[in-house]
Coordinates of all heavy atoms in Angstrom, one line a residue:
M1 N 88.4 123.0 119.5 CA 89.0 123.2 120.8 C 89.8 124.4 120.8 O 90.7 124.6 119.9 CB 89.8 122.0 121.2 CG 90.5 122.1 122.5 SD 91.8 120.9 122.8 CE 90.9 119.6 123.6
A2 N 89.7 125.3 121.8 CA 90.4 126.5 121.9 C 91.8 126.3 122.6 O 91.9 125.4 123.5 CB 89.6 127.6 122.7
F3 N 92.8 127.0 122.2 CA 94.1 127.0 122.9 C 94.0 127.9 124.1 O 93.5 129.0 124.1 CB 95.1 127.5 121.9 CG 96.5 127.6 122.6 CD1 97.2 126.4 122.8 CD2 97.0 128.8 122.9 CE1 98.5 126.5 123.4 CE2 98.3 128.9 123.5 CZ 99.0 127.7 123.7
E4 N 94.5 127.3 125.2 CA 94.6 128.1 126.5 C 96.0 128.2 126.9 O 96.7 127.2 127.2 CB 93.8 127.4 127.5 CG 93.7 128.2 128.9 CD 92.9 127.4 129.9 OE1 92.2 126.5 129.6 OE2 93.1 127.8 131.1
A5 N 96.5 129.5 127.0 CA 97.9 129.7 127.6 C 97.8 129.7 129.1 O 96.9 130.3 129.7 CB 98.4 131.0 127.0
R6 N 98.7 129.0 129.7 CA 98.8 129.0 131.2 C 100.1 129.6 131.6 O 101.1 129.4 131.0 CB 98.6 127.6 131.7 CG 97.3 127.0 131.3 CD 97.1 125.7 132.0 NE 97.2 126.0 133.4 CZ 96.4 125.4 134.3 NH1 95.6 124.5 133.9 NH2 96.6 125.6 135.6
P7 N 100.1 130.3 132.7 CA 101.4 130.9 133.2 C 102.3 129.8 133.7 O 101.9 128.7 134.1 CB 100.9 131.8 134.4 CG 99.6 131.2 134.8 CD 99.0 130.6 133.6
K8 N 103.6 130.1 133.6 CA 104.6 129.2 134.1 C 104.6 129.2 135.6 O 104.5 130.3 136.3 CB 106.0 129.6 133.6 CG 107.1 128.7 134.0 CD 108.4 129.2 133.4 CE 109.5 128.3 133.8 NZ 110.8 128.8 133.3
I9 N 104.7 128.0 136.2 CA 104.7 127.9 137.7 C 106.2 127.6 138.1 O 106.8 126.7 137.6 CB 103.8 126.8 138.2 CG1 102.4 126.9 137.7 CG2 103.9 126.6 139.7 CD1 101.7 128.1 138.3
V10 N 106.7 128.5 139.0 CA 108.1 128.3 139.5 C 107.9 127.9 140.9 O 107.2 128.5 141.7 CB 108.9 129.6 139.3 CG1 110.2 129.4 139.9 CG2 109.0 130.0 137.9
S11 N 108.6 126.8 141.3 CA 108.6 126.4 142.7 C 110.0 126.4 143.3 O 111.0 126.1 142.6 CB 108.1 124.9 142.7 OG 108.2 124.4 144.0
F12 N 110.2 126.9 144.5 CA 111.5 127.0 145.1 C 111.3 127.0 146.6 O 110.3 127.4 147.2 CB 112.2 128.3 144.7 CG 111.3 129.6 144.9 CD1 111.4 130.3 146.0 CD2 110.5 130.0 143.9 CE1 110.7 131.5 146.2 CE2 109.7 131.1 144.0 CZ 109.8 131.9 145.2
P13 N 112.4 126.5 147.3 CA 112.4 126.4 148.8 C 112.8 127.8 149.4 O 113.7 128.5 148.8 CB 113.4 125.3 149.1 CG 114.3 125.3 147.9 CD 113.5 125.8 146.7
V14 N 112.3 128.1 150.5 CA 112.6 129.3 151.2 C 112.9 129.0 152.7 O 112.2 128.2 153.3 CB 111.4 130.3 151.2 CG1 111.7 131.5 152.0 CG2 111.2 130.8 149.7
R15 N 113.9 129.6 153.2 CA 114.1 129.6 154.7 C 113.8 131.0 155.2 O 114.4 132.0 154.9 CB 115.6 129.3 155.0 CG 115.8 129.2 156.5 CD 117.3 129.0 156.9 NE 117.4 128.8 158.3 CZ 117.4 129.7 159.3 NH1 117.1 130.9 159.0 NH2 117.5 129.3 160.5
L16 N 112.7 131.0 156.0 CA 112.1 132.3 156.5 C 112.6 132.6 157.9 O 112.6 131.7 158.8 CB 110.6 132.2 156.5 CG 109.9 133.5 157.0 CD1 110.2 134.7 156.2 CD2 108.4 133.2 157.1
T17 N 113.0 133.8 158.2 CA 113.3 134.3 159.5 C 112.2 135.3 159.9 O 112.2 136.4 159.4 CB 114.7 134.9 159.6 OG1 115.7 134.0 159.2 CG2 115.0 135.4 161.0
P18 N 111.2 134.9 160.7 CA 110.2 135.9 161.2 C 110.9 136.8 162.3 O 111.9 136.5 162.8 CB 109.1 135.0 161.8 CG 109.8 133.7 162.1 CD 111.0 133.6 161.2
K19 N 110.2 137.9 162.5 CA 110.7 138.9 163.4 C 112.2 139.3 163.1 O 113.0 139.4 164.0 CB 110.6 138.4 164.9 CG 109.2 138.4 165.3 CD 109.0 137.9 166.7 CE 109.7 138.7 167.7 NZ 109.5 138.3 169.1
G20 N 112.5 139.4 161.8 CA 113.9 139.6 161.4 C 114.3 141.0 161.3 O 115.3 141.3 160.7
G21 N 113.4 141.9 161.8 CA 113.8 143.4 161.8 C 113.4 144.1 160.6 O 113.2 145.3 160.6
R22 N 113.3 143.5 159.4 CA 113.0 144.1 158.2 C 112.5 143.0 157.2 O 112.7 141.9 157.4 CB 114.2 144.8 157.6 CG 115.4 143.9 157.3 CD 116.6 144.7 156.9 NE 117.8 143.9 157.0 CZ 118.3 143.2 156.0 NH1 117.8 143.2 154.9 NH2 119.4 142.6 156.2
D23 N 111.9 143.5 156.1 CA 111.4 142.6 155.1 C 112.5 142.6 154.0 O 112.7 143.6 153.4 CB 110.1 143.0 154.5 CG 109.0 142.9 155.6 OD1 109.2 142.3 156.7 OD2 107.8 143.3 155.3
A24 N 113.1 141.4 153.7 CA 114.1 141.4 152.7 C 114.4 139.9 152.2 O 114.2 139.0 152.9 CB 115.5 141.9 153.3
I25 N 114.8 139.9 150.9 CA 115.2 138.6 150.4 C 116.7 138.7 150.2 O 117.2 139.7 149.6 CB 114.5 138.4 149.0 CG1 113.0 138.2 149.2 CG2 115.2 137.2 148.3 CD1 112.2 138.1 147.9
E26 N 117.4 137.8 150.8 CA 118.9 137.9 150.9 C 119.7 137.0 150.0 O 120.9 136.8 150.2 CB 119.3 137.7 152.4 CG 118.6 138.8 153.3 CD 119.0 138.6 154.8 OE1 119.3 137.5 155.2 OE2 118.8 139.6 155.5
G27 N 119.0 136.3 149.1 CA 119.7 135.5 148.2 C 119.7 134.0 148.6 O 119.0 133.6 149.5
W28 N 120.4 133.2 147.8 CA 120.4 131.8 148.0 C 121.5 131.4 149.0 O 122.6 131.9 149.0 CB 120.7 131.1 146.6 CG 119.6 131.4 145.6 CD1 119.7 132.4 144.7 CD2 118.3 130.8 145.5 NE1 118.5 132.4 143.9 CE2 117.7 131.5 144.5 CE3 117.6 129.9 146.3 CZ2 116.4 131.1 144.1 CZ3 116.4 129.5 145.9 CH2 115.7 130.2 144.8
I29 N 121.2 130.4 149.8 CA 122.1 129.9 150.8 C 122.0 128.3 150.8 O 121.0 127.8 150.3 CB 121.8 130.3 152.2 CG1 120.4 129.9 152.7 CG2 122.0 131.8 152.4 CD1 120.2 130.0 154.2
Q30 N 123.1 127.7 151.2 CA 123.1 126.3 151.3 C 122.9 126.0 152.8 O 123.7 126.4 153.7 CB 124.4 125.7 150.9 CG 124.4 124.1 150.9 CD 125.7 123.6 150.2 OE1 126.6 124.3 149.9 NE2 125.7 122.3 150.1
G31 N 121.9 125.2 153.1 CA 121.6 124.8 154.5 C 122.5 123.7 155.0 O 123.2 123.1 154.2
P32 N 122.4 123.4 156.3 CA 123.2 122.4 156.9 C 122.9 121.0 156.3 O 123.7 120.1 156.3 CB 122.8 122.4 158.4 CG 121.7 123.3 158.5 CD 121.6 124.1 157.3
D33 N 121.7 120.9 155.7 CA 121.3 119.6 155.0 C 121.8 119.6 153.6 O 121.5 118.7 152.8 CB 119.8 119.5 155.0 CG 119.1 120.6 154.4 OD1 119.7 121.6 153.9 OD2 117.8 120.6 154.3
K34 N 122.6 120.6 153.2 CA 123.2 120.7 151.8 C 122.2 121.1 150.7 O 122.6 121.1 149.6 CB 124.0 119.4 151.4 CG 125.0 118.9 152.4 CD 126.1 120.0 152.5 CE 127.2 119.4 153.4 NZ 128.0 120.5 154.0
K35 N 121.0 121.4 151.1 CA 120.0 121.8 150.2 C 120.1 123.3 150.0 O 120.6 124.0 150.9 CB 118.6 121.5 150.6 CG 118.3 120.0 150.6 CD 116.9 119.7 151.0 CE 116.7 118.2 151.0 NZ 115.3 117.8 151.5
I36 N 119.7 123.8 148.9 CA 119.7 125.3 148.5 C 118.4 125.9 148.8 O 117.3 125.4 148.4 CB 120.1 125.5 147.1 CG1 121.4 124.7 146.7 CG2 120.2 126.9 146.7 CD1 122.6 125.2 147.5
Y37 N 118.4 127.0 149.6 CA 117.2 127.7 149.9 C 117.3 129.2 149.6 O 118.4 129.8 149.6 CB 117.0 127.7 151.5 CG 116.8 126.3 152.0 CD1 117.8 125.6 152.5 CD2 115.5 125.7 152.0 CE1 117.7 124.3 153.0 CE2 115.3 124.4 152.5 CZ 116.4 123.7 153.0 OH 116.2 122.5 153.5
L38 N 116.2 129.9 149.3 CA 116.2 131.3 149.2 C 116.0 131.8 150.7 O 115.1 131.4 151.4 CB 115.0 131.8 148.4 CG 114.9 133.3 148.1 CD1 116.1 133.7 147.3 CD2 113.6 133.6 147.5
K39 N 116.9 132.7 151.1 CA 116.9 133.2 152.5 C 116.1 134.5 152.5 O 116.3 135.4 151.7 CB 118.3 133.5 153.0 CG 118.4 133.9 154.4 CD 119.8 134.1 154.8 CE 119.8 134.6 156.3 NZ 121.2 134.9 156.7
A40 N 115.0 134.5 153.3 CA 114.1 135.6 153.4 C 113.9 136.0 154.9 O 113.9 135.1 155.7 CB 112.8 135.4 152.7
R41 N 113.7 137.2 155.2 CA 113.3 137.6 156.5 C 112.2 138.6 156.4 O 112.0 139.4 155.5 CB 114.5 138.2 157.3 CG 115.0 139.5 156.7 CD 116.2 140.1 157.5 NE 117.3 139.2 157.6 CZ 117.8 138.8 158.7 NH1 117.3 139.1 159.9 NH2 118.8 137.9 158.7
V42 N 111.3 138.6 157.4 CA 110.2 139.5 157.5 C 110.1 140.0 158.9 O 110.6 139.4 159.9 CB 108.8 138.9 157.1 CG1 108.8 138.5 155.7 CG2 108.5 137.7 158.0
S43 N 109.6 141.2 159.1 CA 109.5 141.8 160.4 C 108.3 141.3 161.2 O 108.3 141.4 162.4 CB 109.5 143.4 160.3 OG 108.4 143.8 159.5
A44 N 107.4 140.7 160.5 CA 106.2 140.2 161.2 C 106.5 139.0 162.1 O 107.4 138.2 161.8 CB 105.1 139.7 160.1
P45 N 105.7 138.8 163.2 CA 105.9 137.7 164.1 C 105.3 136.4 163.5 O 104.4 136.5 162.7 CB 105.2 138.1 165.4 CG 104.1 139.0 164.9 CD 104.7 139.8 163.7
P46 N 105.8 135.3 164.0 CA 105.3 134.0 163.5 C 104.0 133.6 164.2 O 103.9 132.5 164.8 CB 106.4 133.0 163.8 CG 107.1 133.6 165.0 CD 107.0 135.1 164.9
E47 N 103.0 134.5 164.3 CA 101.8 134.1 165.0 C 100.6 134.5 164.1 O 100.6 135.5 163.4 CB 101.7 134.8 166.3 CG 101.9 136.3 166.2 CD 102.1 137.0 167.5 OE1 102.8 136.4 168.4 OE2 101.6 138.1 167.7
D48 N 99.6 133.7 164.1 CA 98.3 133.9 163.4 C 98.6 134.1 161.9 O 97.9 134.8 161.2 CB 97.6 135.1 163.9 CG 97.2 135.0 165.4 OD1 96.9 133.9 165.8 OD2 97.3 136.0 166.1
G49 N 99.6 133.5 161.3 CA 99.9 133.5 159.9 C 100.5 134.8 159.4 O 100.7 135.0 158.2
K50 N 100.9 135.7 160.3 CA 101.4 137.1 159.9 C 102.7 137.0 159.2 O 102.9 137.7 158.2 CB 101.5 137.9 161.2 CG 100.2 138.3 161.8 CD 100.4 139.1 163.0 CE 99.1 139.4 163.7 NZ 99.3 140.1 165.0
A51 N 103.6 136.1 159.6 CA 104.9 136.0 158.9 C 104.7 135.4 157.5 O 105.3 135.8 156.6 CB 105.8 135.2 159.7
N52 N 103.8 134.4 157.4 CA 103.5 133.8 156.1 C 102.9 134.8 155.1 O 103.3 134.9 154.0 CB 102.6 132.6 156.2 CG 103.3 131.4 156.8 OD1 104.5 131.3 156.8 ND2 102.5 130.4 157.3
E53 N 102.0 135.6 155.6 CA 101.4 136.7 154.8 C 102.4 137.7 154.4 O 102.4 138.1 153.2 CB 100.3 137.4 155.6 CG 99.0 136.5 155.8 CD 98.0 137.2 156.7 OE1 98.1 138.4 156.9 OE2 97.2 136.5 157.3
A54 N 103.3 138.1 155.3 CA 104.4 139.0 154.9 C 105.3 138.4 153.9 O 105.8 139.1 153.0 CB 105.1 139.4 156.2
L55 N 105.6 137.1 154.0 CA 106.5 136.5 153.0 C 105.8 136.5 151.7 O 106.5 136.8 150.7 CB 106.8 135.0 153.5 CG 107.6 134.2 152.5 CD1 109.0 134.8 152.3 CD2 107.7 132.8 153.0
I56 N 104.5 136.2 151.6 CA 103.8 136.2 150.3 C 103.9 137.5 149.7 O 104.1 137.7 148.5 CB 102.4 135.6 150.5 CG1 102.5 134.1 150.8 CG2 101.5 135.9 149.3 CD1 101.1 133.5 151.1
R57 N 103.6 138.6 150.5 CA 103.7 139.9 150.0 C 105.1 140.3 149.5 O 105.2 140.9 148.4 CB 103.2 141.0 151.0 CG 101.8 141.1 151.3 CD 101.4 142.3 152.1 NE 102.2 142.4 153.3 CZ 101.8 141.9 154.5 NH1 100.8 141.1 154.6 NH2 102.6 142.0 155.6
L58 N 106.1 139.9 150.2 CA 107.5 140.2 149.8 C 107.8 139.5 148.5 O 108.4 140.2 147.6 CB 108.4 139.7 151.0 CG 109.9 139.9 150.7 CD1 110.3 141.3 150.6 CD2 110.7 139.2 151.9
I59 N 107.5 138.3 148.4 CA 107.9 137.5 147.2 C 107.0 138.0 146.0 O 107.6 138.2 144.9 CB 107.7 136.0 147.4 CG1 108.8 135.5 148.3 CG2 107.7 135.3 146.0 CD1 108.7 134.1 148.7
A60 N 105.8 138.3 146.2 CA 104.9 138.8 145.1 C 105.5 140.2 144.6 O 105.6 140.4 143.4 CB 103.5 139.0 145.6
K61 N 105.9 141.0 145.5 CA 106.4 142.3 145.1 C 107.7 142.1 144.3 O 107.9 142.8 143.3 CB 106.7 143.2 146.4 CG 107.2 144.6 146.0 CD 107.4 145.4 147.3 CE 107.9 146.8 146.9 NZ 108.2 147.6 148.2
A62 N 108.6 141.3 144.8 CA 109.9 141.0 144.1 C 109.7 140.4 142.7 O 110.4 140.7 141.8 CB 110.7 140.1 145.0
L63 N 108.6 139.6 142.6 CA 108.4 139.0 141.3 C 107.5 139.9 140.4 O 107.4 139.6 139.2 CB 107.6 137.7 141.5 CG 108.4 136.5 142.2 CD1 107.5 135.3 142.4 CD2 109.6 136.2 141.4
G64 N 106.9 140.9 140.9 CA 106.1 141.8 140.1 C 104.8 141.2 139.8 O 104.2 141.4 138.7
V65 N 104.2 140.3 140.7 CA 103.0 139.7 140.4 C 102.1 140.0 141.6 O 102.5 140.4 142.7 CB 103.1 138.1 140.3 CG1 104.0 137.8 139.0 CG2 103.7 137.5 141.5
G66 N 100.8 139.7 141.5 CA 99.8 139.9 142.6 C 100.0 138.8 143.6 O 100.5 137.7 143.4
K67 N 99.5 139.1 144.8 CA 99.7 138.2 146.0 C 99.0 136.8 145.7 O 99.4 135.8 146.2 CB 99.1 138.8 147.2 CG 99.9 139.9 147.8 CD 99.3 140.5 149.1 CE 97.9 141.0 148.8 NZ 97.3 141.7 150.0
T68 N 97.9 136.9 144.9 CA 97.2 135.6 144.6 C 98.0 134.7 143.7 O 97.6 133.5 143.5 CB 95.8 135.9 144.0 OG1 96.0 136.6 142.7 CG2 94.9 136.7 144.9
K69 N 99.1 135.2 143.1 CA 99.9 134.4 142.2 C 101.1 133.7 143.0 O 101.8 132.9 142.4 CB 100.6 135.2 141.1 CG 99.6 136.0 140.3 CD 98.8 135.1 139.4 CE 97.8 136.0 138.6 NZ 96.9 135.2 137.9
V70 N 101.1 133.9 144.3 CA 102.2 133.3 145.1 C 101.5 132.5 146.3 O 100.5 133.0 146.9 CB 103.1 134.3 145.8 CG1 104.1 133.7 146.7 CG2 103.7 135.2 144.7
R71 N 101.9 131.3 146.5 CA 101.4 130.5 147.6 C 102.4 129.6 148.2 O 103.4 129.2 147.6 CB 100.2 129.6 147.1 CG 100.5 128.6 146.0 CD 99.3 128.1 145.3 NE 99.6 127.6 144.0 CZ 99.7 128.4 142.9 NH1 99.5 129.7 143.0 NH2 100.0 127.9 141.7
I72 N 102.2 129.3 149.5 CA 103.0 128.4 150.3 C 102.4 127.0 150.1 O 101.2 126.8 150.5 CB 103.1 128.8 151.7 CG1 103.7 130.2 151.9 CG2 103.8 127.8 152.6 CD1 103.6 130.8 153.3
V73 N 103.1 126.1 149.5 CA 102.5 124.8 149.3 C 102.9 123.8 150.4 O 102.3 122.7 150.5 CB 102.9 124.2 147.9 CG1 102.2 125.1 146.8 CG2 104.4 124.1 147.6
S74 N 104.0 124.1 151.1 CA 104.3 123.2 152.3 C 105.2 124.0 153.2 O 105.8 125.0 152.9 CB 105.0 121.9 151.8 OG 106.3 122.2 151.4
G75 N 105.1 123.6 154.5 CA 105.9 124.3 155.5 C 105.2 125.5 156.1 O 105.9 126.4 156.6
G76 N 103.9 125.5 156.1 CA 103.2 126.7 156.7 C 103.6 127.0 158.1 O 103.6 128.2 158.5
A77 N 103.9 126.0 158.9 CA 104.3 126.3 160.3 C 105.8 126.1 160.6 O 106.2 125.9 161.7 CB 103.4 125.3 161.2
S78 N 106.6 126.1 159.5 CA 108.0 125.8 159.6 C 108.8 127.0 159.1 O 108.3 127.8 158.3 CB 108.3 124.5 158.9 OG 109.7 124.3 158.7
R79 N 110.0 127.1 159.4 CA 110.9 128.1 158.8 C 111.2 127.7 157.3 O 111.4 128.6 156.5 CB 112.3 128.1 159.5 CG 112.2 128.8 160.8 CD 113.6 128.9 161.4 NE 113.6 129.5 162.7 CZ 113.9 130.8 162.9 NH1 114.3 131.5 161.9 NH2 113.9 131.3 164.1
M80 N 111.3 126.4 157.1 CA 111.5 125.9 155.7 C 110.2 125.7 155.0 O 109.3 125.0 155.4 CB 112.3 124.6 155.7 CG 113.5 124.6 156.6 SD 114.7 125.9 156.0 CE 116.2 125.4 156.8
K81 N 110.1 126.4 153.9 CA 108.8 126.4 153.1 C 109.1 126.1 151.6 O 110.2 126.4 151.2 CB 108.1 127.8 153.2 CG 107.9 128.2 154.7 CD 107.3 129.5 154.8 CE 107.1 130.0 156.2 NZ 106.4 129.1 157.1
I82 N 108.1 125.6 151.0 CA 108.1 125.5 149.5 C 107.1 126.5 149.0 O 105.9 126.5 149.4 CB 107.8 124.1 149.0 CG1 108.7 123.0 149.6 CG2 107.8 124.0 147.5 CD1 110.2 123.2 149.2
I83 N 107.6 127.3 148.1 CA 106.7 128.4 147.5 C 106.5 128.1 146.0 O 107.4 127.6 145.3 CB 107.5 129.8 147.6 CG1 107.8 130.1 149.0 CG2 106.7 130.9 146.9 CD1 106.6 130.4 149.9
E84 N 105.3 128.3 145.5 CA 105.0 128.3 144.1 C 104.5 129.6 143.7 O 103.7 130.3 144.4 CB 103.9 127.2 143.8 CG 104.3 125.8 143.7 CD 103.3 124.9 143.3 OE1 102.1 125.3 143.1 OE2 103.6 123.7 143.1
A85 N 105.0 130.1 142.5 CA 104.6 131.4 142.0 C 104.3 131.3 140.5 O 105.0 130.6 139.8 CB 105.7 132.4 142.3
E86 N 103.3 132.0 140.1 CA 103.0 132.1 138.7 C 103.8 133.2 138.1 O 103.5 134.4 138.2 CB 101.5 132.3 138.5 CG 100.6 131.2 138.9 CD 99.1 131.5 138.7 OE1 98.8 132.3 137.8 OE2 98.4 130.9 139.5
T87 N 104.9 132.8 137.5 CA 105.8 133.8 136.9 C 106.7 133.1 135.9 O 106.8 131.9 135.8 CB 106.7 134.5 138.0 OG1 107.5 135.5 137.4 CG2 107.6 133.5 138.7
E88 N 107.3 133.9 135.0 CA 108.2 133.4 134.0 C 109.6 133.1 134.5 O 110.3 132.2 134.0 CB 108.2 134.3 132.8 CG 106.9 134.4 132.0 CD 106.5 133.1 131.4 OE1 107.3 132.4 130.8 OE2 105.3 132.8 131.5
S89 N 110.1 133.9 135.4 CA 111.4 133.7 135.9 C 111.6 134.3 137.3 O 110.8 135.1 137.7 CB 112.4 134.3 135.0 OG 112.3 135.7 134.9
L90 N 112.7 134.0 137.9 CA 113.0 134.6 139.2 C 113.9 135.9 139.0 O 114.7 135.9 138.0 CB 113.8 133.6 140.1 CG 113.0 132.3 140.4 CD1 113.9 131.4 141.3 CD2 111.7 132.7 141.1
P91 N 113.8 136.9 139.9 CA 114.6 138.1 139.7 C 116.1 137.9 139.8 O 116.5 137.1 140.6 CB 114.1 139.0 140.8 CG 112.9 138.4 141.4 CD 112.9 136.9 141.0
A92 N 116.8 138.6 138.9 CA 118.3 138.6 139.0 C 118.8 139.1 140.3 O 119.9 138.7 140.8 CB 118.8 139.4 137.8
S93 N 118.0 140.0 141.0 CA 118.5 140.5 142.3 C 118.6 139.5 143.4 O 119.2 139.7 144.4 CB 117.5 141.6 142.7 OG 116.2 141.1 143.0
W94 N 118.0 138.3 143.1 CA 118.1 137.2 144.1 C 119.4 136.5 144.0 O 119.8 135.6 144.8 CB 117.0 136.2 144.0 CG 115.6 136.8 144.4 CD1 115.3 138.0 144.8 CD2 114.4 136.0 144.4 NE1 114.0 138.1 145.0 CE2 113.4 136.9 144.8 CE3 114.0 134.8 144.0 CZ2 112.1 136.6 144.9 CZ3 112.7 134.4 144.1 CH2 111.7 135.3 144.6
G95 N 120.2 136.8 143.0 CA 121.5 136.2 142.7 C 121.3 134.8 142.1 O 120.2 134.3 141.9
K96 N 122.5 134.2 141.8 CA 122.5 132.9 141.1 C 122.4 131.8 142.2 O 123.0 132.0 143.3 CB 123.7 132.7 140.3 CG 123.8 133.6 139.1 CD 125.1 133.4 138.4 CE 124.7 132.4 137.3 NZ 125.8 132.2 136.3
R97 N 121.7 130.7 141.9 CA 121.7 129.6 142.8 C 123.0 128.9 142.8 O 123.6 128.7 141.8 CB 120.6 128.6 142.4 CG 119.2 129.1 142.7 CD 118.2 128.2 142.2 NE 118.0 127.1 143.2 CZ 117.0 126.3 143.2 NH1 116.1 126.3 142.3 NH2 116.8 125.4 144.2
P98 N 123.6 128.6 144.0 CA 124.8 128.0 144.1 C 124.8 126.5 143.5 O 123.7 126.0 143.4 CB 125.2 127.9 145.6 CG 124.1 128.6 146.3 CD 123.0 129.0 145.3

């Protein structure tokens, strides 16, 4: 049997602001529900999946991975999303989780 190395999967919640004027990851915030989210904004509108596509591109670029390594696993039609990414760690530029 051959050994197969698999990439690490990191999962994290995101609060997305579509039509936010620019594409940016603004760090970790605590929501009104007391849960911790990564705050992100994209300039794309929330129609026809454009904001979700922009979010995937933004996160993939920040992580230094291809777009196919990032996926939205829940919340496709919501501001609150769960993201999974094939990566070893999250960037320090996102700050520490509170």
